[in-house]
Structure formats: C-alpha cells, structure tokens
Amino acid sequence: MSTVLDPKIPAGPLKEKWDNYKNTIKLVNPANKRKHTVLVVGTGLAGGSAAASLAELGYNVKSFCIQDSPRRAHSIAAQGGINAAKNYPNDGDTIWRLFYDTIKGGDYRSREANVYRLAQVSNNIIDQCVAQGVPFAREYGGLLDNRSFGGAQVSRTFYAKGQTGQQLLLGAYQAMSRQIGAGNIEMFSRREMLDLVVVDGKARGIITRNLVTGEYERHVGDAVLLCTGGYGNVYYLSTNAKNSNVTAAWRCHKRGAYFANPCYTQIHPTCIPVSGDYQSKLTLMSESLRNDGRVWVPKKQGDTRRPQDIPEEDRDYYLERKYPSFGNLVPRDVASRNAKMATDEGRGVGETGLAVYLDFKDSINRLGRDTIEARYGNLFEMYERITGENPYEVPMRIFPAVHYTMGGLWVDYELQSTVPGLFVLGEANFSDHGANRLGASALMQGLADGYFVIPYTLGNYIANQSLPDVSTDADAFGEAESAADARIQKLLSVNGNKTVMEFHRELGRIIWDQVGMSRTAGGLRQAIDQVSALKEEFWQNVCVPGEPTTYNKNLEFAGRVADFLELGELMARDALSREESCGGHFREEYQTPEGEALRNDDEFTHVSAWEHTASGHVLHKENLDFENVQLTTRSYK
Amino acid sequence: MAHSMNITLKVWRQAGPDAQGGFETYSVPDANEHMSFLELLDVLNEQLIKEGKEPVEFDHDCREGICGSCGVVIDGVAHGPQQRTACCQLHMRHYKDGDTIVIEPWRAEGFPIIKDLVVDRQAFDRIIAAGGYVSVNTGAAQDANSIPIPKDDADLAMDYATCIGCGACVAACPNASASLFTAAKIAQLSLLPQGAPERTMRVTNMVDQMAKEGFGDCSNHAECEAVCPKGISISAIATMRREYMKAMRG
Ligand SMILES: Cc1cc2nc3c(=O)[nH]c(=O)nc-3n(C[C@H](O)[C@H](O)[C@H](O)COP(=O)(O)OP(=O)(O)OC[C@H]3O[C@@H](n4cnc5c(N)ncnc54)[C@H](O)[C@@H]3O)c2cc1C
Ligand code: SF4
Ligand code: FES
C-alpha cells in the first residue's frame, strides 16, 4: 500500500529549524558514549568525517571500507572544489543564496529544510578543514582564494589545485587515523558489507566479508551509518572509481530501507570520450574548461575533415547558437543533452563519432598560450596523457559521462532511513540535490553530513532508544550470513560462458541508451524487459572462476553486478513513473516547444521512495512543500 | 585508426602470502595503443576467465592516478617507464607490437604479498596513525581566515600533500625505506601553523613507527623521487631529518 512519508522536519521558520532541533534533542551522557558501538560503513568524505567526529565524542566506532586503506575512497578523485557561503570575496554571497541556488539547481525536487541546513553548516566545514591542515589555495596576502564554479554568480568555491577531494579526504582520513591510533576507532579495511542485520525492527549489525580471506564477519552495533557512495557504475562506464557500487545500499533496501528517486542521475558534459570496447572507465575533465573553450561540431553530417581543416562557416557552435546568454556555460544537464543531440544527428567527431569538440584556439589567440596553460595546464596534460593529442594544437574531443547519482536511500531530516537505526550519509542518500546537483556541492554535503549533522542526530536516536544487548549468535545474524554465503556459492557454481564484465557492459549499454540523457516511455518499458532478461541470463550463464577463500576481485565484482542488475530495473521503473522532465531526468514526451525540460509541479512535486516487497516494488511519496521559495522555470536562453 | 599489437606478458603469480610464486607467460594478441596498461591486464583477465583460469589479481580503483591503489613493477621500474605517472595512467602507445613486458608486485619487507600483484600496505596507515595529523576535534576550529599563511608556504605544503600513498618509493628504494612517504606528510605539516604545537611528537612517533614496520633507512639513493608518480621531492626527507634532529635536541 502506498503511503506518504514524514520527513520529520522541525518546527519553526526555515532559518531557525536546525537550531530548534539542536535545542530540543536528547543528549547521550558522555560517560555512556563509550558503551555505544557505531558501525560506519565507508570511509569517503561522509564516512571518514562521521567516524572521526563520533570517535572524538567518545563513541566506540568500527569503520569499514573495500580498499586496502580508508584513504583511497572514491572521494579522493574529486577535482574542482567545495562550496561554502563564507562571502570572503564580498561579492554578495549569503547562506540564503547558497540555499536558493542549490534548490533551483536541483529543479525544485529537494527538501527545503535539509538544503538550508547544508548551507548553514557549509562555513564550519571550511574552518574545520583548514584547522586540519588542508592546504587550500591561497592569495598572496595569505588568505584563502575562491573561484566561481558551475554557473554560480558568486565566487564561493574553495579548492586545492585540481585535487580538492584528495585534500579534503586526507584531512578526514588523518582525523580518523588519530582516533585509530588512540584506540577509539577500530578499522576494518578490505571488507565488503554484504548485509544489514535487523533485530526487533532496528538496524543492529552488519555482515562483512574479508576480501583477503573470504571469511564472513558479524559486527554488532547500536546504529549503522551507511556511507557507501553513489551507484553511477550501474552504467558500467562512468567517472566513478571501479570499486564504487550499490551493494551495501541495495542489501539495506532489501531489508526495508526505501530507495528514493533512483532515476535522478547526473551526466557530466566534459569527459574524455570512449576509445574502444576495452574501455574500463571514463575520465572527467573539470567543467571549468567551458569558461574558455568553445563547443562545436561540423554543420554537415559525416564531415571527416580534420578539425583544423573545417572552416568557420562549416562549424556549428551549437550552445552559443541556441543559448545566446549562457553560451558554453549552460548547466551540466543542458550541455550534455545537446552533445547527445549533435551526435544523434550524425555530426559527432573522432573515430567513434561519439564526441564533440571543445576548442581553445580563440582563447589562445586572445589571451596567449601562457594564460591558458596557467589556468588549465594540468588538465591539458591529463588529456594528452590519455589521448596522445595536444589540445593546444587540436581541439579536445569531449563527450558526456555518468558522474553522480542524486538518488539514493531515502532519509528523513535526521538522515535516518526507513529502518530505525540505519542512517545514510553522503552520496548514498538522496537528500539534498533534488533532480540535479550543482558543482562543488557533493563534497560539501558529504562533510556536512559527517562532521556536523550526524553527531547530533545519532545522539538523539541513541538517547531515545532502549537498545538491549544483541549477540552475534542471534538468529538474524545467522540468517543474514547464510544468505550472503549462498549468493557467493551460487556465483561460483553457475560456471557459464559469459564474464562478469560482459554482463556489466551489456547492462551499462541498456541503461545508458534508455535511462541516460533522454528517456521515453517506450524505451523505458523496453529497458525493463531487457534488464530483467539479462538478470535471468546472468544467474544461468555467468562464469566466475577461482576460490571464495582467497583474494578474488572478479568474485567481488560479480556480486556487485548482480545488484546493479536489480537496481537498473528499478531506475527504469522510476523514470517511467515520473511523467515530467526535471533536472537530469529528461523525458522526451515532456518538453517545451524549444526542447527544454518541462516540469509538472502539480503532479510531481514529490520524492518517489520505493519499497522492496516480496511481490515487487511499491511506490511511496514524500510531498515537497515549498514555503520559502517560489517554483520557477529554469531558463538559460 | 588504432594499431593492434601483440604483447607478451610475464606476470608474477603467487597464490597466497606463504605460497611459492613464479612468473607465468601470457600473450595478448589484440592489445591496442589507446589502451591503458590496466586495461591491457583487464583484457588478459577476460582471456583467462574464458579459459576457466583464475585472473591475475592487481589493485586498482580510480584509474586516474589519484587513489594510490595501483602499483606494480614494470620491467624493473615501479609504475613503469613514464615518469610521474602511476601505472593506471600509463598507455600502451609507449609500447610496440611484439614487446614483452615483465610485471611484478612491490617487493619489500613492509609490504607482504597478498596474492599475485597485490600487497599489504597497511603499514602506511599505521605510520600516519602514529602522528600524521593535526589534533583538532570537530567543531573546535576558528574562522578559516584567522591565520593567514604565506602563499609560497601553502603551495609548497600542497606539493608535499599530493602524495597518493602508493608505495612506489618503497618498492624502488634499495633499502626498502618509506622515508619519502613519511617525510612528505611531515614536511607538509611542518609548513603550516596549524600543526606546529605537536611537531616534535609527530616526527619522533612517525619515524619510530616507520622503523618498527620493517622499512629500511634512507641512504640518499633518490630512486624514490625518480619513480614517484606525484613528483614528491626528496627535499622532504631533508626536512624530516631536520625536524627529527630538532626533536632529539628537545
Ligand atoms: C571524477 C569526479 C570528480 C568529482 N568532483 C567533485 C567536485 O569537484 N566537487 C564536488 O563537490 N563533488 C565532486 N564529485 C562528487 C563527489 O566526489 C562524490 O559525490 C563524493 O566524494 C562521495 O563521497 P561519499 O563519502 O558519499 O562516498 P565515497 O567517497 O564514494 O566513499 C564510499 C566508501 O564506501 C566504501 N564502500 C562502498 N561499498 C561498500 C561495501 N559494500 N562495504 C564496505 N565498504 C563499502 C568504499 O570503500 C568507500 O570507502 C566528483 C565525482 C567524480 C566521480
Ligand atoms: S611519496 Fe610518491 S611514491 Fe611514495 S607513496 Fe607518496 S606518491 Fe607514492
Ligand atoms: S588506480 Fe588509482 S592511482 Fe592508479
């Protein structure tokens, strides 16, 4: 039965909600914190910051990650920067403005109260990171430098060269390491969470697999924090790290956590294009390149001349033509969709025809090569390293790639899922970005959740519960471990003819074609059938050699692909049920005469949260009430 | 069009930490110049899986040269022939049709082999846990702009901070020393006012931990700097020594 979910937003005016909340929650007695064990799964920005902060408060923390070290979580790869409403440049930024930009950028599909809190704590994040020794870029006066990012009209992005994620993550990792050294965090690396253990309706533990020995381990806790990142790898090719996966979230989903807005995915416009079938992942090029590069394709279909031989009159600078006021700086979803249109028309470039040009010739002529090198030198070098082409001389070839997933497990204002005691942080939850995320705001959200939100909301949960001792011998642990083992044994015993990678690639192609940059009812129905057939075939024909008792990466991947197959189907269902276009979700049936996204606010101003039941998925809704901002249509013409 | 190449690989295979290892020879007939080095290993593994054999284990994650997961010795050089490049960012256009490539794991007492090309680098985490941080609890920070830091210091700190913890420096060092890795963190924090009050403790604890983990001493071969994918300068090691001497003198 479909229900309406209560996000438990605190009372009071928007600006006072978070303070009101903090003023009224119950606190855990400091002497008692040690007695409470918190299981933190994931050590990215969200998990790393949460584990460190909770250990500092005195909780007994156990942390888990897939990689050999917590420092290697996917967050490490973020390049561009992190937003905060510090207003150091005095250019008119405020908490309200950061809040408003995020709500609008999300195409009015996020929750006001959460986004406002995010903007409020953004400034504390920068303070915290600087105190940890994060070497942010500075000006000659010794103060912090800011840049503008992702179309914002103010400069509010803090950065550390093109390696902001790395530096922020190392800050959190070092804070964690201090607590590990002090014995307050017990670290379990090379572990994969395979199930959530629910006892008396509450999340009380997890099952992990030791990826070196294959042993299963049972961990008991008073709460579980899921900080396991996004599910972009469902597309096979994405900018996510190879280990990024949906497994932990999906297993929680099957234990009762609702999955919200799975169809909201972000496709980033400036990535290095695919070069062949062996391609294993895609590399993002910072979108700052669009400040000085001009996007174009040949006017004629199938024009195979070298770019330098195509004269001006035969080129189509389509973004400048269609969006004269924003030009090459339109938001990510608009830029991506237009690149797809150009290649669909047969005007794509390069060996595969799946690319458009990003040309710096005019900027180099205008500003000089030195200026361009100072701005983008490291990106140009990276491009040349991968493609073997020199972008100072020939235009870059770029194409959109999957980059971020706004959907995730549904959480209320306290970041608690529909399973009591299971909290979800960072990219793994659905909370703050609506249907489209703005640049430099995922790092902000991950650290906000971990450093400044969960320490309060977790305390309130624990203080209000009776949490009787649970033993790892409890039936629920045995049942979950057996289920995990049965899956692993099954994967090893199919002994079919197709590799895990072949299945993953096929799944990726279906989802990319039908649940990618533009979607139709017919295509989505087809995708549902195709994915479900592929899932069936997977369990009959996958080939996973090797043993369960040694390091076996292919076996790990097999389990993750199995879960992606189930998620893929739900993504298509969600996209089918959302009969409107908004943010990254573009349904061809719902567009303006000019081809822009057309929202349907009367019927779809809600979060879609899917429940997993024995007989299939059931849709629940959270209505989004906008009390402080007015819904408008985004226009970048 | 991309050129197809036939590549022969001699790969170190070792079933487990205590098993006897050895080289196996494989041929990959349809490599191509646009592939990355790890994609070449993917293609090899697909071949092996299709034959019902166990794929070659190697660590990898970001494939963008930033996470520090990957790392193998290629023809005797940690991360392979291209300078300042982690092996995930090495591309096959640096090889030609008919080449033979030898691939081995990092070899060092501090990095025991787990399987094939995968080693255990947790010693690095323990070195950081011994002091590679600033002691500041969440919420205890003052405004980020209250302490200006000269741009040159901040930039230099950033250069040291880019270490990805891959371990190539250890693999390349004749003494299997972890000095470059350890010194990079010490040098970064020594440049910033935030870490100053605990600098003495930091350097002593981290250097002691490094020795405990079985890594050797530095005797200035500079092989580490030559293979470091992030170009961390050995000037970090000089800074570490200076900090250590200061700490010893009290
Ligand atoms: C190339 C790139 C560039 C980006 N640049 C920016 C940017 O400039 N600014 C910005 O704001 N955002 C950026 N983003 C987005 C941002 O980096 C991510 O959204 C964010 O880092 C996610 O952090 P997280 O902590 O939620 O998860 P992650 O960093 O993905 O961490 C997930 C953690 O969970 C663990 N884990 C996963 N599954 C399991 C399991 N089953 N068992 C145990 N452990 C598990 C992993 O080991 C890891 O430790 C970028 C993303 C990409 C791909
Ligand atoms: S110093 Fe260089 S080689 Fe050593 S771990 Fe760091 S990045 Fe790798
Ligand atoms: S795989 Fe991340 S550095 Fe090579």
Side-chain angles (χ1 to χ4, degrees), chain A residues 16-91:
Chain A
E16 292 165 25
K17 285 182 190 296
W18 182 228
D19 281 337
N20 288 348
Y21 174 85
K22 289 191 287 185
N23 290 338
T24 50
I25 53 173
K26 267 193 168 176
L27 301 175
V28 181
N29 179 333
N32 282 341
K33 286 194 181 125
R34 220 39 289 164
K35 297 183 201 143
H36 292 288
T37 297
V38 184
L39 307 177
V40 183
V41 189
T43 61
L45 288 177
S49 58
S53 304
L54 296 174
E56 287 161 7
L57 285 171
Y59 292 103
N60 181 33
V61 175
K62 286 181 167 186
S63 259
F64 305 84
C65 71
I66 288 177
Q67 293 80 1
D68 63 332
S69 162
R71 67 180 287 154
R72 303 201 205 285
H74 163 62
S75 294
I76 199 106
Q79 302 171 350
I82 177 167
N83 286 332
K86 279 285 194 188
N87 193 30
Y88 286 151
N90 197 27
D91 55 0

Side-chain angles (χ1 to χ4, degrees), chain A residues 434-505:
Chain A
N436 175 52
R437 176 177 71 76
L438 289 184
S441 58
L443 303 183
M444 170 172 74
Q445 183 223 331
L447 291 180
D449 289 358
Y451 283 136
F452 296 109
V453 178
I454 201 70
Y456 296 93
T457 62
L458 178 79
N460 189 41
Y461 171 76
I462 288 181
N464 278 300
Q465 301 298 313
S466 82
L467 293 160
D469 280 349
V470 167
S471 138
T472 52
D473 296 330
D475 290 348
F477 276 95
E479 185 262 318
E481 183 181 317
S482 309
D485 184 50
R487 281 171 68 90
I488 298 264
Q489 296 305 337
K490 177 89 210 286
L491 287 168
L492 288 164
S493 65
V494 176
N495 257 322
N497 298 316
K498 254 162 94 170
T499 66
V500 173
M501 206 187 271
E502 285 170 331
F503 278 107
H504 198 173
R505 230 186 250 135

Side-chain angles (χ1 to χ4, degrees), chain A residues 53 56 67-69 72 86 88 127-128 142 144 173-174 190 242-243 280-281 385-386 499 551, chain B residues 39 46 50 59 61-64 67 85 93 115 121 125 132 137-139 143-145 149 165 185:
Chain A
S53 304
E56 287 161 7
Q67 293 80 1
D68 63 332
S69 162
R72 303 201 205 285
K86 279 285 194 188
Y88 286 151
D127 297 342
Q128 189 64 32
L144 294 162
Y173 159 75
Q174 286 163 205
R190 293 203 199 266
K242 294 299 286 180
N243 283 304
S280 58
K281 78 159 295 212
R385 201 190 288 274
I386 292 174
T499 66
Y551 198 71
Chain B
E39 285 166 350
E46 288 291 283
K50 291 253 169 197
D59 262 332
D61 199 17
C62 73
R63 299 199 172 196
E64 289 186 11
C67 73
T85 303
R93 69 181 70 89
K115 189 174 176 186
R121 289 173 289 199
D125 289 327
N137 283 0
T138 302
D143 183 83
N145 254 349
I149 301 176
K185 188 49 62 187

Side-chain angles (χ1 to χ4, degrees), chain B residues 79 124 162-170 180-181 184 224 227-232:
Chain B
H79 284 309
F124 271 12
T162 56
C163 164
I164 58 175
C166 62
C169 46
V170 174
L180 194 61
F181 166 80
C224 53
V227 298
C228 175
K230 293 291 137 181
I232 305 289

